[in-house]
Amino acid sequence: INRELSWIAFNRRVLAQAQDESIPLLERIKFLAIVSSNTDEFFMVRVAAIQKKLKAGLPSTRPDGVPHHALLHEIRAQIVDIMNTQRELMRTLLRQLEQYGVYIQPLRKLPKIHQEALRQYFIDEIFPVLTPLAVDRTRPFPFISNLSLNLAVCVRRPSDENGDYDFVRLKIPPTLPRLVHVESILPRYGVSRTSEILDESGYPRKVETFVWIEDLIASNLDELFPGMEVLEHAPFRITRNADIDYEAEDDDPDVDFTQVIEESLRERRFGAVVRLAVSEGTSERILHPLLEELEIDTRDMYTVKGALGGSSLFQLASVDRPEIKYPPYLPRIPDMIAGDESIFTAIARRDILLHHPYDSFTPVEQFFQQAASDPDVLAIKATLYRVGRNSPIVQALMDARENDKQVAVLVELKARFDEENNLEWAKALDQKGVHVTYGVEQIQVKTHAKISMVVRREGDGVRRYVHLGTGNYNSSTARLYTDLGLLTCHREIGDDASRLFNRLTGYAPGTTYKRLLVAPEFLLGKMTELIDGEIAAARAGREARLIFKMNQLEEDVMIRKLYEASQAGVQIDLLVRGICCLRPGVPGMSENIRVRSIVGRFLEHSRIFYFHNAPPEQRLYCGSADMMRRNLYNRVEVAFPLIDERVQRLVLRILNTSLQDNVNAWELLPDGTYRPLSRSTQDSPIDSHAIFMENSLGLRDAE
C-alpha cells in the first residue's frame, strides 16, 4: 500500500473522530484542528519530497509502484475530498457551539457599538504592527513565510481612470491571536459586557464571541491605505518544504554541528512552495500574481470555503465550557512508588512498569529529580529527543551538575521541528557544565532512543538504575500519548545501557549488547530471527503467534517477513495507529494477518512486540522504533526486553484490551481501505482508553 495514501487514510480516521456525535463538541472541534495541523505537516514533508523527486526526474522506487505524477494527482483528489468534508462539518459544529453561547461571527453581524470598539482596538493594537508591502517596479514581490496568513489587497488611486491597480501583500502577524475575543476588548472602550445565556442548570453563562483577525483587519483597510481606493482583498496561505536533508549537509569535522543546525533552520525558511491555499471566490486579479511570483502550479493551489488554516481552532480549547469537553482525567501514581520512600528503593525491590498517560509521568520526573539531589548518585546519563519547553527533567539535569554529579546528555538536534528548542536546551545544559553531545559520528543518523541511567553508590559497589521508554521525556505529551516506560536495575540491562552511552558519546562501532536490541546494527536482524522462530514453530505444527503494536509499518524487509510468516501459518495481529503499507487478508499471502488501528481520546504511541515461541526473556519487547526504514537503518533506537514475568503479564493485558477494542478500532481491508470495527447489538462496547483510565492495565485473561 502506498505510504502517502496510507497516511491520508489515517487522517480520515482522525476526521471521523470529529464526526462522532458521542464525543463532546469542543473535542470534536479540536479533532478538526488536528486534521488541519496533520495536513500542514504532510505537505511540508511528504508532498514536498515527492515534488522534489518529480522535478529532479527521479523514478519511484517504492514497492507500491505508483509514479510520482500519478501519486500527486491522487493526493490532491483525496485531500480536496477531506477538506470539503472537514469544512462542511466545521460549519455544522460551530453552529452547534452557538447553543452554548460561543460564537465565531462575521464582524458585520456584531452590534454597531461592538464594531466601533473593535475598530478602535484595531487602531490601538493591530495597526501599529502591520506592514503593507507594495509590489511595483521598485519594490519586488516580498518573501512569504511558511504557514503565514496573509491578505492580498488590490488598490488604486481614485484619479486613475485607466483601470490600473496596485498589488499589496499584508502579513497577519503571528504574534496576534487568530481569533479575537470580543468580550475581553469591549470593557477597554467603555462598552459593557451584558450578554448572557442560561446553561443546562439554569445558571447564567457569559457569551463568548470571536471574530477572525483577518476579518477585523480587512474591515479597516481604509486606515492602512488613506487616499487609495481598496478594490478587493483576499486571504492566502502558503506551505513550504520544511524538511532538512542532513545527508546533504557539510559534515566537515572542523565545523561545529550546532552551526550546521542553525544554518539549516535558516535555509528551511526559504524552502520551495508546495501548496497555496486561497479562499473560495478569490479573483483572477489576485490569483495571477500569486501563482506567478510564487512559481506554483495550479495543481498545488487549494480553494478553501471559509477561514484558512483550520488548526487555529485549537484556540477554542481555552473556552470555559467543561460540559462540552472530555471530563478531566487525573493520572494515577502506581502503588509500589506511591509512598515516601526513595524511588531507587522501589526500583531495587522489583521492575516498575508505567503506562502513560493512565499512570502519571511524575515518577519519571522524580527519577531525575531525586538523582540530582541524592548524595549517593555519582552520574546521570540520558538521551533527549523532544523534551518541550519548561522541562522539569532538563532542570533536574542542570541541578545535578550544580550538585557535582557527572552528567552526560545526548541532545538530538535533528528532531524535526524541535531543532530550535533542542538547540536552546543544549546550550543551557552546556553552560551548566553538563557533557552535551549531539549524536553518533554519522550526521544523517538520529538518536531516537528513549533511555536514561543513574549510577548510584550502594554498599561496596555501584548499581545502575535505568529508565527505558517508548515515548519522549516530555511532560506535556505524556498526558496525551499512550506510552510505556520501564524502571529497572537489572544488571545486564545496566551493562548494556553503559555500553550504549559509550557508543553514543565516544567511538565504539564494535559495541555489542546482551539484552537490548539497538538499531541500526542489531534491531532488524534480531526481530527477523524471532519471527523465523514463529515460522519454524508453525511449520512444526505448533501454535505460533505474533502481536505487534506500533505507530507505523512501512519497511519492505519486515513486511515481506510478515507475509512469509502468514504463509507458514503464523497468526499475526498488528495494531498500527498510522501508516500501514502491509496489505492484510490477501489469500495465499497474508490471510493470517489482521491489522487494526485505534484512534481515540489519546494518541496511540507505544511500541510492543510479542513472540509466542521465543525464550521467556525474549517473548516481549517494547521500544522507541516503528517498523520504518528510517527507524531501522538511520536512527539509534532501543527495543528493551520485559524480563520480569509480572511485567510481561501486565503488558499482555494491555495488548489484549487493545485487541478487544470495538469502539475506537478500525480494521484494514485487503484493498487498502479502513472501516470501523463492526460490533453486533449483543456485543458490549469495549473502549480501551476508557478501560485504561479506570484500570491502567486493562482487561485480564490476556493469554
Side-chain angles (χ1 to χ4, degrees):
I1 298 173
N2 177 268
R3 168 181 170 154
E4 280 66 44
L5 299 182
S6 182
W7 181 90
I8 291 174
F10 163 66
N11 215 26
R12 286 188 186 276
R13 299 196 292 281
V14 178
L15 180 59
Q17 295 295 107
Q19 296 170 306
D20 187 344
E21 296 181 359
S22 69
I23 293 175
L25 179 58
L26 273 176
E27 306 297 341
R28 296 173 68 188
I29 293 172
K30 188 188 296 183
F31 278 114
L32 284 179
I34 293 172
V35 170
S36 292
S37 178
N38 286 349
T39 304
D40 284 343
E41 184 168 338
F42 178 66
F43 273 88
M44 286 190 288
V45 179
R46 299 307 312 165
V47 174
I50 300 166
Q51 289 185 356
K52 186 176 180 180
K53 292 175 182 177
L54 183 62
K55 290 177 182 177
L58 299 175
S60 174
T61 58
R62 305 291 306 203
D64 56 80
V66 182
H68 297 315
H69 66 278
L71 180 56
L72 288 174
H73 178 79
E74 182 62 22
I75 286 173
R76 176 179 175 82
Q78 295 210 29
I79 291 292
V80 167
D81 181 61
I82 289 175
M83 285 173 54
N84 290 339
T85 303
Q86 179 192 20
R87 290 294 161 159
E88 186 60 40
L89 181 60
M90 184 185 300
R91 287 189 288 274
T92 299
L93 297 187
L94 292 180
R95 284 196 299 269
Q96 293 179 16
L97 195 59
E98 293 177 359
Q99 300 172 18
Y100 298 88
V102 181
Y103 300 84
I104 299 180
Q105 292 278 48
L107 194 67
R108 66 181 184 277
K109 288 191 175 182
L110 298 182
K112 190 69 174 176
I113 191 171
H114 290 186
Q115 293 184 42
E116 292 171 354
L118 287 171
R119 181 174 177 85
Q120 194 58 49
Y121 167 74
F122 169 84
I123 293 170
D124 293 345
E125 306 214 10
I126 298 178
F127 177 85
V129 297
L130 296 178
T131 306
L133 295 175
V135 179
D136 55 30
R137 288 181 300 173
T138 62
R139 292 172 286 195
F141 194 87
F143 173 76
I144 312 296
S145 54
N146 185 35
L147 301 183
S148 64
L149 182 64
N150 306 268
L151 281 178
V153 186
C154 292
V155 297
R156 73 178 176 189
R157 293 169 180 80
S159 59
D160 191 340
E161 298 179 355
N162 298 323
D164 294 335
Y165 65 93
D166 295 300
F167 184 93
V168 182
R169 177 265 188 145
L170 184 62
K171 179 178 180 177
I172 312 295
T175 53
L176 299 173
R178 177 73 190 284
L179 288 168
V180 179
H181 187 218
V182 176
E183 280 76 21
S184 66
I185 291 170
L186 298 180
R188 306 184 202 178
Y189 301 100
V191 180
S192 61
R193 173 178 171 163
T194 56
S195 298
E196 291 182 342
I197 63 166
L198 298 180
D199 66 13
E200 295 177 350
S201 303
Y203 292 99
R205 297 288 295 270
K206 291 182 178 179
V207 167
E208 310 286 349
T209 309
F210 297 89
V211 296
W212 295 107
I213 191 169
E214 63 268 28
D215 191 13
L216 178 56
I217 292 172
S219 68
N220 290 285
L221 289 175
D222 59 306
E223 292 286 342
L224 289 160
F225 304 103
M228 300 290 285
E229 178 186 358
V230 178
L231 298 176
E232 62 178 316
H233 56 81
F236 70 94
R237 185 174 183 263
I238 69 165
T239 310
R240 291 185 179 273
N241 181 349
D243 201 19
I244 298 174
D245 182 5
Y246 289 102
E247 294 187 45
E249 297 294 337
D250 181 8
D251 58 355
D252 185 339
D254 295 328
V255 175
D256 185 344
F257 185 56
T258 60
Q259 295 177 9
V260 174
I261 294 294
E262 290 171 344
E263 179 61 29
S264 298
L265 291 174
R266 286 191 290 270
E267 291 178 1
R268 172 183 280 168
R269 295 180 57 244
F270 301 99
V273 177
V274 296
R275 178 179 59 164
L276 168 66
V278 296
S279 286
E280 188 177 65
T282 301
S283 73
E284 184 63 27
R285 181 160 51 184
I286 287 177
L287 291 179
H288 178 72
L290 288 178
L291 292 169
E292 187 175 75
E293 296 292 343
L294 295 173
E295 299 179 345
I296 190 168
D297 192 280
T298 53
R299 175 200 64 197
D300 302 314
M301 183 182 76
Y302 290 78
T303 301
V304 178
K305 189 173 184 178
L308 306 183
S311 58
S312 299
L313 292 174
F314 278 123
Q315 190 178 333
L316 292 177
S318 62
V319 170
D320 182 24
R321 293 293 188 274
E323 67 272 26
I324 49 176
K325 297 181 180 180
Y326 284 129
Y329 175 70
L330 183 64
R332 293 176 291 272
I333 302 290
D335 292 340
M336 64 187 68
I337 48 177
D340 296 328
E341 66 181 0
S342 161
I343 194 165
F344 302 111
T345 302
I347 298 170
R349 192 161 48 242
R350 69 183 314 164
D351 288 359
I352 297 172
L353 179 75
L354 297 172
H355 187 200
H356 310 299
Y358 315 106
D359 291 333
S360 172
F361 195 66
T362 300
V364 182
E365 295 171 349
Q366 291 175 341
F367 181 71
F368 288 90
Q369 291 164 343
Q370 291 184 20
S373 59
D374 188 334
D376 292 324
V377 168
L378 305 175
I380 307 173
K381 301 184 181 186
T383 61
L384 301 179
Y385 192 77
R386 301 186 194 275
V387 294
R389 297 190 176 276
N390 304 315
S391 169
I393 287 177
V394 177
Q395 185 59 53
L397 291 168
M398 292 190 287
D399 292 344
R401 187 66 199 98
E402 289 187 345
N403 292 334
D404 293 326
K405 315 294 183 189
Q406 178 179 308
V407 184
V409 178
L410 188 145
V411 180
E412 181 48 76
L413 297 185
K414 301 184 294 298
R416 184 185 291 145
F417 304 128
D418 271 335
E419 298 99 337
E420 190 171 1
N421 185 55
N422 286 4
L423 188 58
E424 291 176 6
W425 278 128
K427 291 178 178 178
L429 287 163
D430 186 66
Q431 289 172 1
K432 289 289 186 178
V434 172
H435 299 299
V436 179
T437 59
Y438 306 118
V440 294
E441 59 267 24
Q442 305 105 311
I443 193 171
Q444 72 271 23
V445 176
K446 294 182 183 180
T447 300
H448 190 246
K450 326 297 184 184
I451 182 171
S452 56
M453 180 177 70
V454 171
V455 182
R456 191 168 185 266
R457 183 191 299 110
E458 296 181 3
D460 296 332
V462 298
R463 176 177 280 179
R464 284 164 294 199
Y465 294 85
V466 181
H467 174 268
L468 296 139
T470 66
N472 295 303
Y473 289 112
N474 187 313
S475 304
S476 298
T477 56
R479 293 192 290 269
L480 302 171
Y481 295 8
T482 73
D483 273 306
L484 290 172
L486 180 71
L487 291 162
T488 182
C489 59
H490 190 282
R491 183 177 182 84
E492 289 184 329
I493 289 180
D495 288 344
D496 281 357
S498 291
R499 293 188 181 93
L500 176 61
F501 279 110
N502 290 343
R503 169 78 176 95
L504 295 176
T505 60
Y507 293 102
T511 301
T512 58
Y513 310 92
K514 296 178 181 177
R515 294 288 187 175
L516 300 182
L517 308 185
V518 179
E521 296 93 341
F522 305 109
L523 178 55
L524 179 59
K526 185 61 178 179
M527 293 280 286
T528 302
E529 177 188 321
L530 290 168
I531 295 173
D532 282 337
E534 297 303 312
I535 292 173
R539 287 173 176 165
R542 301 197 306 274
E543 179 184 357
R545 193 175 188 203
L546 298 169
I547 308 174
F548 289 0
K549 183 179 184 298
M550 66 196 95
N551 302 325
Q552 329 279 5
L553 172 57
E554 168 257 5
E555 202 279 324
D556 310 340
V557 172
M558 179 56 62
I559 289 175
R560 286 197 294 268
K561 179 57 67 173
L562 291 172
Y563 286 156
E564 180 186 346
S566 172
Q567 292 163 30
V570 180
Q571 298 301 307
I572 303 171
D573 283 292
L574 303 177
L575 291 158
V576 187
R577 182 201 74 214
I579 295 168
C580 182
C581 297
L582 178 146
R583 196 179 294 275
V586 177
M589 183 176 73
S590 58
E591 68 266 36
N592 291 318
I593 304 178
R594 293 158 297 280
V595 178
R596 294 183 182 180
S597 170
I598 293 176
V599 181
R601 174 170 178 172
F602 301 113
L603 181 77
E604 291 290 325
H605 195 254
S606 56
R607 293 93 166 185
I608 308 171
F609 306 98
Y610 169 74
F611 306 88
H612 183 74
N613 288 282
E617 294 183 354
Q618 294 181 11
R619 65 199 297 246
L620 266 170
Y621 284 87
C622 298
S624 58
D626 287 309
M627 295 296 103
M628 302 186 73
R629 294 183 187 183
R630 67 189 187 196
N631 299 97
L632 297 173
Y633 302 116
N634 294 313
R635 288 187 176 183
V636 176
E637 305 275 9
V638 171
F640 52 95
L642 303 179
I643 297 172
D644 186 299
E645 290 185 9
R646 174 183 166 274
V647 171
Q648 288 186 11
R649 289 194 297 271
L650 298 178
V651 172
L652 283 170
R653 284 171 58 183
I654 292 170
L655 287 176
N656 179 61
T657 304
S658 299
L659 289 172
Q660 292 191 48
D661 192 316
N662 56 20
V663 173
N664 306 302
W666 298 69
E667 59 180 331
L668 175 58
L669 304 179
D671 64 359
T673 62
Y674 286 80
R675 69 182 178 195
L677 195 66
S678 59
R679 184 175 77 240
S680 71
T681 54
Q682 290 78 30
D683 292 338
S684 299
I686 298 176
D687 180 341
S688 60
H689 290 180
I691 291 169
F692 291 140
M693 283 191 285
E694 295 174 6
N695 172 8
S696 72
L697 300 173
L699 300 172
R700 296 186 181 276
D701 302 323
E703 298 183 63

